Amino acid sequence: MLATGLLLAGYGLIEVLWGYALVQFIAIISGYLASVAVLPRGIKPRPAFQQSVFMDIISFSSYTFLGNLVGSLVSRADKLLIGIVIGTEAVTYYQIPFTIAQMANGIIHTLVHIAFPRFTEMFSLNDRAGVLKLYRLANNLVFLLSLVIAVLLITVGDDFLTLWISAEFAQKAGVVLQVMALYFFLHSNTVVGYWVLQGAGQAKLTAFIAIAGGMAYFAALYYLGGKYGYMGAALALFFTLSATALQYIWIARHIGHSFSEYLGQLLAFFLGGYAVIYLMEYVNVWLSDHLLEIIVSAALALGLLVVGMWLLLARNGRETKELISVSNKS
């Protein structure tokens, strides 16, 4: 907001950069004061060194950094490899659908991140029942939100590309966007499990999953991209999920959310999503107008999201009351 205000007032790049520096300085001071305010009495906010704590931090951070590095390579170096293996033209038909689907699903990653400190606290208290309850609620909400996003991208993604770029581009990249929508639906639904593992201190496992998936992806990209072009490159993305079964196996063993329960949930949302897509496609054929299709589909999807969240939160509230009632009786 400050940068926008400075630009509208006629200031240049140097003033905008100083504005960024000012905002960061205020954030640091505010964060420090807020942190000091919540510290227990007797704890001083000054630097101290303890070797055991330091080694735990280094170990956790190193594996987390390694996993994030592989994820960054997959999401950035792939364009370079696509340009080398397939050609520079293919990068455009791949990158634009990828960016649209990635940005649409970015809100999920941002929202789920707030559950990480809560998972960490519950693990430190050995509250496995609380972890399972929070995991189920967050997982259901993420499934619902990612499904709504995927449905919109699949049903009106080509309409958006037609209005934004051209009908010719939409004809080539529309199917790629649909494949991306399906991939990000599956990928987004691994995020809650990732933060469960991180909260439990399993950074080594998350790093291994990322590395195994990254290696499988680059091998698939080389083969499928060379054979099927930018569509093959889009299909290769699914290989990044090749090792996520390890995540759900760990959760099943240590949290209690069985792998079969996850598969049932995945199947239920797939069938529900297919039914919604079929309905929206029928409505879109009747509307036969790109902008009108986007508006109507967005309204229907928003209604589905609101109703679904209300049902999930109401169900969670009933389960919480039942749990409290049982605890009081015992």
Side-chain angles (χ1 to χ4, degrees), residues 74-84 91 94-95 98 217:
V74 169
S75 62
R76 290 171 173 80
D78 56 345
K79 289 77 176 177
L80 176 63
L81 293 177
I82 290 169
I84 295 173
V91 177
Y94 172 90
Q95 176 59 27
F98 180 90
Y217 165 71

Side-chain angles (χ1 to χ4, degrees), residues 125-248:
L125 298 174
N126 201 28
D127 184 9
R128 294 297 189 271
V131 172
L132 177 60
K133 187 173 182 296
L134 179 59
Y135 173 75
R136 280 181 171 151
L137 175 62
N139 212 36
N140 285 328
L141 291 173
V142 167
F143 257 96
L144 177 63
L145 182 55
S146 61
L147 177 68
V148 170
I149 293 172
V151 165
L152 282 175
L153 293 176
I154 291 172
T155 54
V156 295
D158 54 344
D159 297 293
F160 175 76
L161 291 174
T162 298
L163 293 174
W164 182 33
I165 302 178
S166 68
E168 181 185 0
F169 184 88
Q171 186 177 6
K172 293 183 178 181
V175 180
V176 180
L177 181 57
Q178 292 178 339
V179 173
M180 296 287 188
L182 180 58
Y183 162 72
F184 274 101
F185 167 72
L186 296 172
H187 179 267
S188 295
N189 291 314
T190 66
V191 175
V192 179
Y194 170 83
W195 288 118
V196 168
L197 264 63
Q198 288 291 97
Q202 297 296 316
K204 185 184 294 186
L205 179 57
T206 58
F208 176 79
I209 291 172
I211 293 170
M215 293 174 62
Y217 165 71
F218 285 122
L221 175 62
Y222 180 80
Y223 175 76
L224 294 175
K227 195 168 184 178
Y228 301 106
Y230 52 84
M231 179 56 74
L235 293 172
L237 282 170
F238 289 90
F239 285 82
T240 61
L241 307 173
S242 56
T244 52
L246 297 174
Q247 170 178 297
Y248 295 109

Side-chain angles (χ1 to χ4, degrees), residues 109-128:
H109 298 255
T110 302
L111 291 175
V112 175
H113 191 277
I114 63 175
F116 171 55
R118 183 60 173 156
F119 282 131
T120 305
E121 179 189 22
M122 288 179 173
F123 276 113
S124 68
L125 298 174
N126 201 28
D127 184 9
R128 294 297 189 271

